[in-house]
């Protein structure tokens, strides 16, 4: 497909200033099982900043367009695509080309229907946050109804998704945030208890209110380099597990805390998911979107040309509430 598009292009790894808006990026071509999507909104994820800085475990070839989450309209389909047609509203959870652009390409297996009651901005918040949250809670965390889960950092994109999913699955939910706005947002999503994780002594308060003081069954951890050792101290013996979703550095832990209670730590990355797991999560999400118990919470919206500011905000704004989104 001939033509050019507006896009954010990264020509060198570095800080947020390397995100440059270009007006003449080539619209990507598609193969047989691929879909070209006219992007209306793109989600901003912390991992986007790690990749941009060159510190992530995998680095794209330069230059590249960042982003992996988007919602928009099918512009063109490959010869072997049968599930979608031009004009369909869709969202992505994994793409072949970057989503910080007017057009992106995704394999048909990672494109999903966007219900009419969900906006493009909300749709762009479904990919990494909800698929990661489900993977953490269910696939790796083995969450069960009536268990108590602590969502440690519950006001961001993945955190809000985890609160909604955990409540839908029948868990008792404890959420933390660091601002009044964040605490209220977590409460509004259905958390049974909320705590300010900037307040001294909140770990002890959580432990006292969980399973008659025995501790929490499951922790979804968004900042392991700060919280992991304390997490281990409030896990319920024999069954307690920590699922690490986010981390920004190193931390010393006392392994004896794992030994004495026979608890466990597991790491999660969305891109380890199989195709079947993506389809399983989508089936759950589609039902939730239809019946209204899944509804992404949007934070700040940015025009495409302010992508660099969005990257600064997602890493420096400790009071992040909801999903940061680029509108295109």
């Amino acid at each position: 497909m001939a033509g050019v598009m507006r896009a954010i292009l990264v020509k060198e790894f570095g800080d947020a200033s390397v995100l440059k808006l270009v007006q003449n990026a080539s619209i990507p071509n598609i193969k047989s099982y691929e879909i070209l999507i006219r992007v209306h909104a793109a989600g901003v994820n912390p991992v986007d900043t790690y990749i941009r800085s060159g510190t992530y475990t995998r680095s794209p070839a330069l230059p590249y367009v960042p982003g992996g989450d988007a919602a928009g309209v099918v512009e063109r389909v490959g010869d072997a695509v049968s599930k979608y047609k031009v004009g369909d509203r869709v969202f992505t959870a994994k793409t072949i080309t970057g989503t910080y652009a007017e057009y992106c390409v995704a394999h048909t297996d990672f494109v999903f229907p966007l219900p009419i009651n969900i906006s493009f901005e909300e749709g762009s918040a479904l990919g990494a946050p909800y698929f990661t949250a489900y993977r953490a809670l269910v696939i790796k965390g083995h969450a069960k109804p009536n268990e108590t889960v602590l969502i440690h950092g519950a006001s961001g994109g993945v955190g809000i998704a985890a609160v909604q999913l955990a409540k839908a699955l029948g868990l008792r939910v404890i959420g933390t945030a660091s601002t009044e706005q964040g605490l209220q947002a977590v409460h509004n999503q259905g958390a049974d208890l909320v705590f300010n994780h900037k307040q001294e002594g909140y770990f002890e308060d959580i432990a006292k209110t969980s399973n008659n003081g025995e501790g929490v069954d499951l922790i979804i951890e968004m900042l392991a380099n700060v919280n992991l050792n304390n997490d281990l101290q409030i896990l319920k013996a024999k069954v307690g597990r920590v699922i690490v979703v986010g981390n920004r550095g190193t931390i010393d832990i006392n392994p004896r805390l794992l030994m004495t209670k026979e608890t466990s730590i597991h790491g999660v990355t969305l891109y380890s998911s199989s195709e079947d797991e993506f389809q399983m999560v989508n089936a759950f999400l589609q039902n939730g979107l239809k019946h209204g118990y899944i509804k992404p919470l949007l934070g700040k919206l940015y025009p495409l040309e302010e992508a660099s500011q969005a990257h600064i905000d997602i890493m420096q704004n400790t009071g992040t509430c909801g999903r940061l989104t680029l509108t295109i």
Side-chain angles (χ1 to χ4, degrees):
M1 179 177 178
V4 295
M5 64 180 181
R6 296 167 65 240
I8 296 295
L9 200 63
V10 175
K11 296 182 179 179
E12 60 179 328
F13 298 115
D15 62 22
S17 66
V18 303
L19 298 169
K20 303 294 187 183
L21 178 68
V22 298
Q23 304 287 341
N24 59 350
S26 297
I27 295 176
N29 294 315
I30 58 172
K31 298 177 182 178
S32 295
Y33 287 93
E34 295 173 358
I35 296 174
L36 181 69
I37 300 168
R38 171 60 175 95
V39 177
H40 287 269
V44 179
N45 294 304
V47 70
D48 299 345
T49 72
Y50 309 148
I51 295 171
R52 182 215 70 223
S53 68
T55 61
Y56 197 55
T57 52
R58 55 181 177 85
S59 296
L62 295 170
Y64 79 98
V65 176
D69 286 345
V73 175
V74 173
E75 181 79 11
R76 187 181 176 193
V77 298
D79 296 339
V81 174
S82 59
K83 292 191 293 186
Y84 300 100
K85 63 183 185 302
V86 173
D88 285 348
R89 302 172 83 251
V90 294
F91 74 93
T92 66
K94 183 180 178 182
T95 57
I96 296 168
T97 65
T99 59
Y100 293 15
E102 290 180 316
Y103 295 90
C104 75
V105 172
H107 191 282
T108 183
D109 289 338
F110 303 106
V111 175
F112 307 101
L114 183 65
I116 194 65
N117 61 313
I118 303 297
S119 70
F120 290 122
E121 291 79 11
E122 291 168 335
S124 72
L126 288 169
Y130 282 82
F131 282 74
T132 300
Y134 189 95
R135 183 170 182 80
L137 283 165
V138 178
I139 297 173
K140 291 298 183 180
H142 304 293
K144 303 177 185 67
N146 207 39
E147 284 192 319
T148 296
V149 58
L150 166 62
I151 300 169
H152 212 166
S155 63
V158 177
I160 291 294
V163 172
Q164 293 180 3
L165 293 173
K167 291 305 297 181
L169 292 164
L171 281 80
R172 180 173 181 264
V173 176
I174 301 172
T176 77
S178 63
T179 66
E180 286 302 317
Q181 180 189 15
L183 292 166
Q184 188 61 52
V186 174
H187 174 76
N188 290 346
Q189 300 308 309
D192 298 279
L193 292 172
V194 294
F195 292 89
N196 188 327
H197 55 229
K198 295 294 186 182
Q199 185 173 327
E200 188 176 349
Y202 81 95
F203 269 104
E204 291 81 2
D205 293 337
I206 290 173
K208 291 174 185 176
T209 61
S210 304
N211 294 314
N212 296 316
E214 293 183 4
V216 297
D217 300 284
L218 177 62
I219 298 176
I220 307 300
E221 180 54 65
M222 309 299 176
L223 196 61
N225 57 294
V226 172
N227 300 318
L228 186 56
N229 200 62
N230 286 328
D231 288 341
L232 299 181
Q233 299 179 53
I234 63 170
L235 285 176
K236 186 177 179 181
K238 306 291 185 181
V239 300
R241 58 267 190 214
V242 180
I243 311 298
V244 176
V245 172
N247 181 68
R248 297 181 184 179
T250 60
I251 186 173
D252 290 329
I253 66 168
N254 181 359
R256 191 166 295 279
L257 295 170
L258 291 165
M259 296 162 57
T260 55
K261 289 187 175 184
E262 294 189 337
T263 53
S264 60
I265 305 169
H266 303 268
V268 163
T269 175
L270 175 61
Y271 298 107
S272 296
S273 303
S274 67
E275 180 184 329
D276 286 345
E277 287 171 338
F278 273 102
Q279 298 303 324
M280 176 177 66
V281 178
N282 177 61
F284 189 92
L285 294 183
Q286 292 292 336
N287 191 66
L289 294 168
K290 178 181 178 180
H291 294 287
Y293 58 83
I294 289 175
K295 181 78 168 176
L297 177 66
L298 297 177
K300 188 173 180 180
L301 304 181
Y302 304 79
L304 182 60
E305 57 267 25
E306 292 182 14
S308 59
Q309 187 61 51
H311 272 219
I312 292 170
D313 289 349
I314 201 169
M315 296 304 291
Q316 294 187 356
N317 182 4
T318 56
T320 296
C321 185
R323 178 61 178 268
L324 304 188
T325 306
L326 302 176
T327 57
I328 304 170

